Each structure stands twice: as C-alpha cells, then as structure tokens.
Amino acid sequence: GKNNYQFYTAQLTSNAIQKMEIETDLRRAVSESLEEFIVFYQPQIELDSGKIAGAEALVRWQISPERRIPPDHFIPAAENTGLIIPLGKQILRQSCLDFLCWHQKGLGLSRISVNVSMIQLLRSPFLEDVLQVLAETKMPAHCLELEVTESALMKENEQVASVLKQLQDLGIQIAIDDFGTGYSSLGRLQNLPIDRLKIDRSFMPKNAQSISDQALITSVISLANNLNLEVIAEGVETEYQAELLTKNHCQLAQGYLYSPPIPSHEFVKWVEQYNQ
Ligand code: C2E
Ligand code: CA
Ligand code: CA
Ligand code: CA
C-alpha cells in the first residue's frame, strides 16, 4: 500500500545515505594516516599438540575512543571504493611488524594469517605490494599466510591463480577461507596453489545430537586430508567441537573456545599465559 511504499523509499534513502557516509569517512580515515585501523589477533591452535601455531589478523576501525566499527560494516565499502588497496597493504604491514615483535619476545609462533580481498588480488599490483612489505619489515615469507575466500577463487580467474602461484613460490602459504560456502569443484581445487583449507564456521556442529552436521564436517576434513591439505576449523566454541575435530584428524582450530580476537599487547600476554 501507499504507506509501505513510503516506508521503503525512506528506508532506501537512509541506507544510501549511510553508505555514502561510511565511504566519505573511510576516505578521510585512509587518507589521513590509517591510524584508526587497528589489527586484532586470534590464536590458531594445533589440535594434536595443543601448541599455538599462529594467529589470524582481523582489522577493526576505531573511529573514536567510544566507537569501534567491525570489519563486516566497512570492508564492503572499502572494496567498492578501492580503498581496500591502501588499507589492505597497511594491515599486512602492521601484521608483519606485530609478528616480528612477538618473535623477538620469544613467542615462537610459526606464522601470521592475513585476509586478502579479491579486489586486492585483481586490481593492485598485489605481488609487488607484498614483496615491498616483506622487504621493508624484514619478514620471512614462510611466516606469512594469506587467506583468500573460496568465493573469490571460484571466479576461474587466471590472473588470480597465477598471482597465488607466484606468492606460493616465494614461500608464502595460501589458505582458502570460508571453505564449503563456494561450491568449488574438486578438479579446480587440485589445480590451485593451496596449503590449507579453512572450514567455514557454519559447518561446525552445535552438539552431539546434530549427526548429519557431523557427517558433513568429517567428510570435508577427510576430503582435504586426501588432497594433502591441512585443515583449520574456525568458530570452535566448545570442548565437544574440539574433540570431534581432533578425533577426525583436523589439524588446527580457531575460535572463542581459545580466545576472541584481541589487540597485539593482550595477545602477547595471552600466549605467555597459555604456554605456562
Ligand atoms: P573471517 O575471515 O571468516 O573471520 C572470522 C570471523 O569470525 C571474525 O569476525 C572472528 O572474530 C569471528 N570468530 C572467531 N571465532 C569465532 C567463534 O568462535 N564464534 C563466532 N561466532 N565467531 C568467531 P570479524 O573479526 O568480525 O571479521 C569478519 C570478516 O571481516 C572476516 O571473516 C573477513 O572476511 C573480514 N575481515 C576481517 N579483517 C579483514 C582484513 O584485514 N582484510 C579483509 N580483506 N577482510 C577482513
Ligand atoms: Ca579469514
Ligand atoms: Ca572464515
Ligand atoms: Ca567469514
């Protein structure tokens, strides 16, 4: 009816305005100094040994002391505007610097995982950017893992496949993020340069009663293992889930069961306590 129509236009307009506002603000924050973007870290645990293998870098936008915007709310705008290119490079730089600082403190992690957007892979001279950051920070390539979403990889793009191959040849590890949500064909999986599959959190069975969910996740793990890929499960929140994963030979786990993403200085304390 008439009222509904008015409601929708008002809603649409306010969404469009919101989108414009966020883009304008992003442009400001990126051009100013990028200092409002902070990187949080979440540990990745080796299930058989219990050791901390690494951490995933997850960006937050601290727009003011009281206002922190989660990545889901601004990464899409950063991608639409191309601002993800300078922002992504800064996140990579900060992640390498923090990792090296942890290394100096004797934390002994194997690697840091950084999320990479499809836009970065397609539009920036991504390989050059990565090489430049590694050289500038003196970060060893084998300590860096890049997480690329499955949906990005499924766009059968030769350029992307070739960039990933060159990164891997440098010693950088490649993980497929959100695996299971993008309908990859097995043939394609085998032809891509991949070290690790990261199973999407929607595949994590809630409890022992969800039998069909269990079948799903255990078959994804054995599929990956048969392709000689390591598996990391994300969104691990309970002991039950960790045990199910361990029993089924999943190598790595990440989730609130261990720790939420936290700032670098807290992460150092967390690791030191965990190792005690
Ligand atoms: P993602 O890469 O799939 O990251 C995992 C998300 O799950 C993170 O949300 C993390 O905080 C959350 N999480 C971790 N453990 C648990 C758990 O046990 N339970 C539940 N329910 N959630 C858990 P976050 O940090 O809000 O990031 C959301 C998404 O934003 C990321 O999804 C990623 O796609 C994107 N993102 C974050 N940082 C970056 C970045 O630096 N660059 C790019 N391109 N994208 C990023
Ligand atoms: Ca990720
Ligand atoms: Ca994910
Ligand atoms: Ca996700």
Side-chain angles (χ1 to χ4, degrees):
K2 201 178 168 207
N3 289 335
N4 267 337
Y5 172 75
Q6 283 176 344
F7 170 76
Y8 280 123
T9 32
Q11 185 70 36
L12 254 173
T13 315
S14 97
N15 282 347
I17 290 171
Q18 239 181 22
K19 197 174 153 199
M20 253 171 55
E21 277 174 356
I22 209 159
E23 288 186 3
T24 309
D25 233 4
L26 256 181
R27 213 165 263 124
R28 175 199 54 75
V30 170
S31 67
E32 270 174 6
S33 64
L34 292 157
E35 271 170 10
E36 290 172 18
F37 300 95
I38 42 183
V39 187
F40 277 31
Y41 299 96
Q42 186 177 37
Q44 301 181 332
I45 309 294
E46 240 171 55
L47 282 166
D48 59 357
S49 66
K51 277 188 1 195
I52 307 164
E56 178 179 13
L58 293 154
V59 70
R60 275 93 182 89
W61 182 10
Q62 192 79 48
I63 214 162
S64 69
E66 308 78 40
R67 217 168 139 226
R68 177 184 299 154
I69 306 181
D72 286 337
H73 291 200
F74 68 90
I75 294 286
E79 290 178 332
N80 285 337
T81 51
L83 292 167
I84 191 68
I85 291 171
L87 177 58
K89 190 174 180 184
Q90 173 59 21
I91 294 165
L92 179 65
R93 184 183 289 120
Q94 190 61 55
S95 304
C96 291
L97 290 173
D98 285 336
F99 179 85
L100 291 167
C101 166
W102 304 340
H103 185 72
Q104 280 193 331
K105 293 190 153 103
L107 252 48
L109 306 198
S110 305
R111 62 180 167 272
I112 182 107
S113 303
V114 180
N115 290 287
V116 171
S117 152
M118 184 62 175
I119 306 292
Q120 288 172 276
L121 283 174
L122 283 176
R123 289 236 308 258
S124 65
F126 185 67
L127 193 68
E128 285 77 1
D129 279 358
V130 173
L131 282 171
Q132 207 221 319
V133 169
L134 292 182
E136 173 196 320
T137 59
K138 306 201 168 56
M139 172 81 166
H142 69 269
C143 295
L144 177 64
E145 177 175 74
L146 298 175
E147 295 190 5
V148 184
T149 62
E150 186 187 25
S151 51
L153 285 178
M154 285 315 107
K155 301 210 171 72
E156 302 258 352
N157 185 299
E158 279 324 304
Q159 189 193 333
V160 169
S162 124
V163 171
L164 291 180
K165 179 78 178 63
Q166 294 175 71
L167 290 164
Q168 205 186 38
D169 287 344
L170 292 168
I172 295 169
Q173 299 168 60
I174 309 291
I176 300 200
D177 203 357
D178 298 346
F179 184 73
T181 59
Y183 310 100
S184 345
S185 77
L186 291 182
R188 176 137 175 87
L189 257 190
Q190 256 187 321
N191 291 329
L192 282 168
I194 303 161
D195 301 281
R196 217 162 267 119
L197 288 186
K198 197 160 186 185
I199 306 179
D200 192 68
R201 79 157 185 264
S202 58
F203 288 90
M204 196 56 60
K206 289 282 160 281
N207 53 50
Q209 279 75 53
S210 33
I211 304 287
S212 60
D213 293 0
Q214 283 177 39
L216 200 58
I217 197 162
T218 54
S219 42
V220 174
I221 297 168
S222 67
L223 162 76
N225 285 337
N226 286 334
L227 293 171
N228 275 325
L229 299 172
E230 273 200 343
V231 190
I232 172 159
E234 64 177 16
V236 180
E237 295 181 353
T238 65
E239 288 292 351
Y240 159 75
Q241 292 170 335
E243 277 163 28
L244 179 76
L245 294 164
T246 311
K247 229 172 34 198
N248 287 284
H249 313 289
C250 175
Q251 286 82 12
L252 296 152
Q254 176 183 345
Y256 297 161
L257 174 62
Y258 310 101
S259 169
I262 47 180
S264 180
H265 62 280
E266 277 179 44
F267 181 76
V268 171
K269 282 190 235 152
W270 186 88
V271 174
E272 286 169 349
Q273 248 174 14
Y274 182 93
N275 287 338
Q276 258 172 22

